[in-house]
Amino acid sequence: MALNAPLLIMDAADSSLDQKTKKVQFDNALFAKLEPPVFILEGKLAQHVPHFLAVRSKDPKAGRSFATKSGIERNKSFGRMEPYSETEEQDDVDQYVPLNERAGPISVKEEKPPTPLYMEPQRAGCIAYTGSPKNPYDVSAPSSVKSLFIATPSDACVLNSGPATPLPAPLPKTNTTSIKDPLQLLIQEEMRLGERRRIIFCDRPVDNLLGQNQHSPYTKEEIRPLVFQEFRRSMRTHILFMYEWLQAWPDYATLSNKDKVSFLRKCVLLHTILDPVYISLQCGWPDKFVMQNGGYVSCKEDCDDGWRDEKEISSHTKKMIYKPLLERIMQDIMKPLLQFGITFEEFVALKGLVSFQGAIENVSAEGRPVLKCQLDGIISSLHKFYLERGEPPAERLGSIILLLSSILTAGLDWVESHRTIEFFDLWDLDSLLRQLLNLDAIFQKSLDQ
């Protein structure tokens, strides 16, 4: 019997086969040399195969009476088998080969037919299948020819010779496809933010409220003169939007609680400037400065829209506090952005760069490397975006980075203006906004205690 023969057929009716030949020697070294190692067992020789590899040939429609190793690997559980009839069960008992007469490297300690053992993948050995090699679960073949397909060592697994090894606990699933490009993550979150603003602050038919896009959440017809009292009441909604923007960043959860609060504070200061700037460029420029809730203040000297007296704050106080800040924002931020012709993708990148760069000085030493890594990721992603669109990366990326200092300076002015309001009690600020403005003092007080 040649070892390199592609197919070995052994017939129990052959007179040249003696009793010893009728027993199959299951030797891994022999199987490894067969190319391909496929056996077709005919006649009574099949009953000499060990019980756990035995082929049922009584009734082809009855299905299998055992679970294969491949079934364990593929399905991770046993299938439900049809029960034996009394005749089939007695036949199996009659054909059972005692343990001390079984040949091969497999050692089983129990007297009963062994239960299928756990296989260690990627190791040489054999796997037994019933049916054809292409479809191991095919039991429709004639009962006169049933085959045992022995996998090659490169594809197969070794049967454990010791006691059954328990299945290992499954590893936690990691959805690597959810890890996105930093710029694409910012774009998606900014479009989601626009949809939330429409739902909260717009009065439209519902079919026009839903949907994410890169357009302004408001049209020119929807914006209205700003009422400071209404904006103060909606301040926590805007802070919540900023917090959700931060949570969309996967590494935000790795920061300490103190760093999370410091990062949120910086976003409140900077987004309160940047978001109205871009909304105004889309639907208000050059006459109106539009806030996040769709309310605007007039940029004309002879127009008092948004600057009129209110019960909580007078027109004089409004102009004294916010007019200088508005003029600086328009001169140092809005005009350069307008000349630059900033796109939606560039704006969300600028917003991300300003947020992470501004927060670095306020977080702990442990949190700074995480923020710096995100900064590098945004810059690399924006550079790739320019290359894909065939635009000069150095010129446009440099212009965006140069804007950071103007925005950060405007943020400091915004803080000083609101501290003036709080100190002189010029009008009632939201309590959460007060805490964020005085966060440094709150942290220092907690350390002293």
Side-chain angles (χ1 to χ4, degrees):
M1 188 180 300
L3 294 179
N4 59 354
L7 184 66
L8 300 179
I9 301 178
M10 295 172 284
D11 191 349
D14 190 349
S15 60
S16 62
L17 295 176
D18 56 15
Q19 184 66 22
K20 293 183 179 180
T21 310
K22 294 180 182 179
K23 292 186 178 181
V24 180
Q25 300 294 324
F26 288 87
D27 184 67
N28 290 336
L30 175 62
F31 293 157
K33 297 178 181 178
L34 298 180
E35 301 176 356
V38 178
F39 291 84
I40 296 181
L41 308 182
E42 298 182 354
K44 295 183 178 180
L45 183 61
Q47 63 183 315
H48 296 285
V49 179
H51 182 269
F52 69 100
L53 296 178
V55 179
R56 289 180 59 192
S57 58
K58 298 294 181 181
D59 184 5
K61 296 182 180 180
R64 300 177 305 183
S65 62
F66 61 92
T68 62
K69 300 300 181 256
S70 60
I72 301 174
E73 276 298 299
R74 288 191 177 91
N75 302 327
K76 305 300 182 184
S77 63
F78 294 102
R80 182 177 180 180
M81 306 298 179
E82 294 185 1
Y84 267 37
S85 65
E86 293 182 2
T87 305
E88 289 175 325
E89 186 174 2
Q90 183 62 38
D91 289 342
D92 269 6
V93 172
D94 295 339
Q95 295 175 12
Y96 174 70
V97 180
L99 293 176
N100 55 4
E101 295 182 12
R102 296 183 186 179
I106 303 173
S107 62
V108 182
K109 296 181 180 180
E110 298 180 1
E111 290 293 332
K112 298 180 180 180
T115 56
L117 303 180
Y118 168 64
M119 299 177 299
E120 298 178 5
Q122 307 300 328
R123 297 170 69 176
C126 62
I127 302 177
Y129 298 97
T130 61
S132 63
K134 293 184 178 179
N135 185 4
Y137 299 98
D138 183 12
V139 294
S140 60
S143 59
S144 60
V145 180
K146 289 281 187 172
S147 66
L148 286 172
F149 173 66
I150 311 300
T152 56
S154 60
D155 302 325
C157 304
V158 176
L159 299 176
N160 289 335
S161 58
T165 305
L167 291 173
L171 295 176
K173 295 182 179 180
T174 303
N175 188 7
T176 56
T177 58
S178 65
I179 303 176
K180 300 181 179 179
D181 179 86
L183 181 59
Q184 293 302 320
L185 185 66
L186 292 172
I187 290 173
Q188 191 174 60
E189 189 59 28
E190 194 68 25
M191 292 192 297
R192 188 179 294 114
L193 177 59
E195 181 184 37
R196 291 168 180 161
R197 285 174 176 156
R198 282 197 305 273
I199 294 174
I200 297 295
F201 300 112
C202 288
D203 187 13
R204 297 185 191 176
V206 65
D207 56 337
N208 292 330
L209 284 175
L210 305 180
Q212 300 177 11
N213 54 61
Q214 299 182 1
H215 305 299
S216 169
Y218 315 112
T219 63
K220 292 184 178 181
E221 293 75 21
E222 288 176 324
I223 59 177
R224 59 201 180 279
L226 179 66
V227 179
F228 277 55
Q229 183 179 3
E230 291 181 357
F231 186 79
R232 180 183 64 81
R233 290 174 178 173
S234 67
M235 192 64 207
R236 293 209 176 198
T237 301
H238 303 303
I239 294 176
L240 176 61
F241 289 162
M242 298 170 196
Y243 180 59
E244 291 176 339
W245 182 89
L246 279 174
Q247 286 184 310
W249 174 46
D251 289 337
Y252 183 69
T254 65
L255 299 177
S256 66
N257 190 63
K258 182 178 179 181
D259 287 346
K260 288 179 181 179
V261 177
S262 298
F263 200 172
L264 175 62
R265 172 184 182 265
K266 186 62 68 172
C267 286
V268 169
L269 306 182
L270 297 174
H271 291 198
T272 305
I273 296 173
L274 264 183
D275 287 347
V277 163
Y278 193 65
I279 295 173
S280 301
L281 290 176
Q282 289 180 304
C283 65
W285 179 266
D287 301 330
K288 303 176 180 69
F289 186 80
V290 186
M291 299 300 292
Q292 299 100 307
N293 67 340
Y296 72 88
V297 292
S298 176
C299 299
K300 295 181 178 180
E301 291 294 336
D302 57 348
C303 183
D304 284 337
D305 286 349
W307 300 108
R308 294 187 175 91
D309 289 333
E310 298 181 32
K311 183 178 180 180
E312 293 186 358
I313 182 172
S314 65
S315 175
H316 173 73
T317 303
K318 288 181 181 180
K319 293 180 179 180
M320 179 185 66
I321 298 297
Y322 292 106
K323 268 279 189 180
L325 182 60
L326 175 61
E327 292 174 357
R328 180 160 192 170
I329 290 174
M330 294 183 64
Q331 185 66 31
D332 296 344
I333 301 176
M334 296 187 70
K335 285 187 176 180
L337 290 178
L338 195 64
Q339 296 171 357
F340 178 66
I342 191 169
T343 65
F344 179 81
E345 293 83 3
E346 290 171 326
F347 168 74
V348 298
L350 173 63
K351 184 175 176 179
L353 291 174
V354 166
S355 302
F356 285 93
Q357 181 63 43
I360 284 181
E361 63 178 353
N362 299 111
V363 301
S364 63
E366 293 78 10
R368 289 175 185 174
V370 182
L371 270 63
K372 290 179 180 178
C373 181
Q374 184 68 11
L375 280 171
D376 294 340
I378 296 174
I379 293 175
S380 299
S381 182
L382 186 58
H383 185 271
K384 179 182 177 182
F385 170 78
Y386 286 137
L387 293 178
E388 291 175 349
R389 298 200 30 183
E391 298 180 4
E395 179 180 346
R396 296 193 70 83
L397 188 55
S399 299
I400 289 178
I401 293 176
L402 287 175
L403 283 169
L404 298 183
S405 61
S406 299
I407 298 171
L408 293 173
T409 302
L412 294 176
D413 293 343
W414 189 91
V415 172
E416 293 301 323
S417 299
H418 284 80
R419 281 181 174 168
T420 301
I421 293 173
E422 183 183 20
F423 182 79
F424 292 102
D425 197 19
L426 299 177
W427 77 298
D428 190 20
L429 296 175
D430 179 81
S431 60
L432 179 57
L433 181 61
R434 287 175 180 267
Q435 292 185 62
L436 294 174
L437 288 173
N438 299 292
L439 191 61
D440 296 336
I442 294 174
F443 283 158
Q444 185 60 43
K445 184 178 180 180
S446 63
L447 290 176
D448 295 342
Q449 293 177 350

